[in-house]
Structures are given as C-alpha cells and as structure tokens.
Amino acid sequence: MKTYRIASIPGDGIGKEVVPEGEKVLQALAAKNQDIQFEFQHFDWGGDYYRAHGVMMPADGLDPLRKVDAILFGSAGDPNIPDHITLWGLRLKICQGFDQYANVRPTRILPGIQTPLKNCTRDQLDWVIVRENSEGEYAGLGGRAHQGHPIEVASDMSILTRVGVERIQRYAFRLAQSRPRKHLTVITKSNAQRHGMVMWDEIAVQIAKEFPDVTWDKELVDAATARMVNRPESLDTVVATNLHADVLSDLAAALAGSLGIAPTGNIDPERRYPSMFEPIHGSAFDIMGKGLANPIGTFWSIVMMLEHLQEPTLAKLLMQVIEQVTANPSLHTRDLGGKAMMTEVTQAVCAGIERS
Ligand code: IPM
Ligand code: MG
C-alpha cells in the first residue's frame, strides 16, 4: 500500500469550498485502487488566520509542508486585506520558499464546453503555458520613498537571472518535446524591455540547440494575444515570464470556456520540495458560500498532481471522468451557463470514478 501525504490548504473564498471537493475525489480514487491511500493534513491558513494572528501563515509554516508529497491549494485573497499581503503572505511564500519555479497551465476546450472563439474546433486549441514562477516581475524587488509627499516614488524591479531563465526554458523545451507537436513558442518583449528580455531571447537560442527535434518560434507578448484568438492552432507549448504568462493564461482560460475549469501546477521539477496544485480561478467572493463554484479547476489540478506523483493511470482515469462530466450540460455550473451546484458535479465525478 502506497500512502501519499497531501497538505490541504483551502485558503480563502471559494477555495474553502472546492478543496474539500478535491479531497472527496482523491478518496474516491483511493477507494477504487486499493494499493493507494491519501492522508490529508489540513492547514487553516489565509484571511481568517491573518485576522487572528496578523500573518497569513506561521513563520515556520514551510516546515510541516516539507514532509508532504504534494500540496492542494485553493486560493488566497480577502476583500478586507490588501491583495499584496494575501498573495505574498501565503501563496508566493510557498512557491518561492519551495522554489517551485515552473508554473504549468494546460488549456484545452473540454467536451461540452463552448469557446467564445468563432470557428475554433476542440482540436485547434491545445496549449500548455509554462510560466516562470520564481523571479521576473514577481521578484519582489523595489520600494517606495517619500510616502504621502508629492515627490513620492515607487518602483518594481523585474529580475531575470541566467540560471532562472535557462532552467525554465529547458523545462519548457523538454515539455514541448514530450508532446506530439514538439513545438515551443517563446514569448518575449525584447523590443521594449531591452535588457532582461534580450538575454531571455539569447538563452532561448542557446537552449534550443539542446532540443534539435523541437521546432520553436518567438512571439512578442502583445502579438501573442492576437495570435491566441486568430490562430489558436499555431500554438502548442508556450513559455513566458511570470507576468507575461499571468496575463496570457487568463486569456487562455477564457478562450477555453471558463476560468472555473483551468488548472495549474507550481512545480519543483527537481523534486527537492513538494509541488503545489491549485485551480487558477482565485477566491471569487461574489459567489462564495453559495455552492456555485465550479470544482472542475480543482479536479483537473488533481490530475496534474497525480501525474507529478507518477500515477499516470489514476491521472488518466480522472481526466476521462472529468471529460464525461463536462460533456453533460446538465452538470455545468453557473460560470458555464448551467444550473448545476458544485456538489452535483463532485458527485457525478465520484460516481464516474466508481463506475470506471
Ligand atoms: C494567478 C493569479 C495570481 C497571480 C494572483 C492571485 C496574484 O492571478 O495565479 O495567475 O498573479 O499570480
Ligand atoms: Mg493570474
């Protein structure tokens, strides 16, 4: 019997609703496969923890997480706490503390889901965006001076290191190599950002030589948005800096039908630390506590978690069941134009696992 220790961090807003649903799905998989079990450790970090303790998570909070096999995360964000505090105090603390430098965001149009793109068939949109997750525009460097005075100044500095760029581009080329199309698009903005992005471009040329079987091209980030809409089939694997990929991945999720479906993995490819999996939708206070959240983003993130845990059979099974469920419009939540409640979707997925 193999036991996977999973840290469960629901965080805030609808994160508190969808993460328990994710646990149910993992338990359903374990019930189906007697060789595997999941042991959950729960952490009540987030906005409420901040109100009680003045911090989003304890200073030594990474210590208990070090021992787990993977982290299932909900979302961080609270209408009464500044966003930069909720982000830096929890999610980024884990991502950066565990050097989860590859943020991986697959995008596909699942069966039964409508894309807002005209004339785009399901097979024409199949992307994985690889987001640099440890530095760039999110390096946290910068500062403020003369606060409150007319001469106030503020700066955010983007930092790209050779090591950081080489490792994320190598990861992206390798991922592209593992996919049927073997094609990578390197997103840049070296026309305007004339230092870091120029080095980024140079490093792409260098890393590409290690992958002679991968074709690649370069696209400016602004042009990439138009290309995603006009020629989705021309893209496959995409690599971009932290902020560029943040923007592109929201567009990708919307083009695939809903932000409620999109998954993500914050991955330490070297497996020195646990990796963290989360839906990308955020805390969504407007629908919180109503049972309306779409749990599919969490379930797809669990597929990524299972792949990372090297359980490809379970991952494949769960993805198949997810696709059977999205194919049925009566199981669509409100974000997809449907009327289904979150728990109905979970029940359908668990029943599908049981039947498989
Ligand atoms: C994401 C989110 C976060 C980010 C927010 C919540 C700060 O948009 O995961 O893409 O910008 O990284
Ligand atoms: Mg984002």
Side-chain angles (χ1 to χ4, degrees), residues 227-243:
R227 180 166 160 191
M228 286 164 75
V229 172
N230 295 327
R231 289 187 297 132
E233 71 291 346
S234 73
L235 295 163
D236 187 80
T237 311
V238 173
V239 64
T241 64
N242 217 327
L243 183 62

Side-chain angles (χ1 to χ4, degrees), residues 87 91 105 131 138 246:
L87 177 67
R91 186 169 162 273
R105 303 189 159 187
R131 171 178 179 182
Y138 282 54
D246 176 43

Side-chain angles (χ1 to χ4, degrees), residues 112-127:
I113 307 291
Q114 297 301 319
T115 163
L117 289 177
K118 261 190 261 158
N119 310 321
C120 175
T121 54
R122 281 193 49 224
D123 58 316
Q124 288 176 322
L125 198 163
D126 183 355
W127 305 328

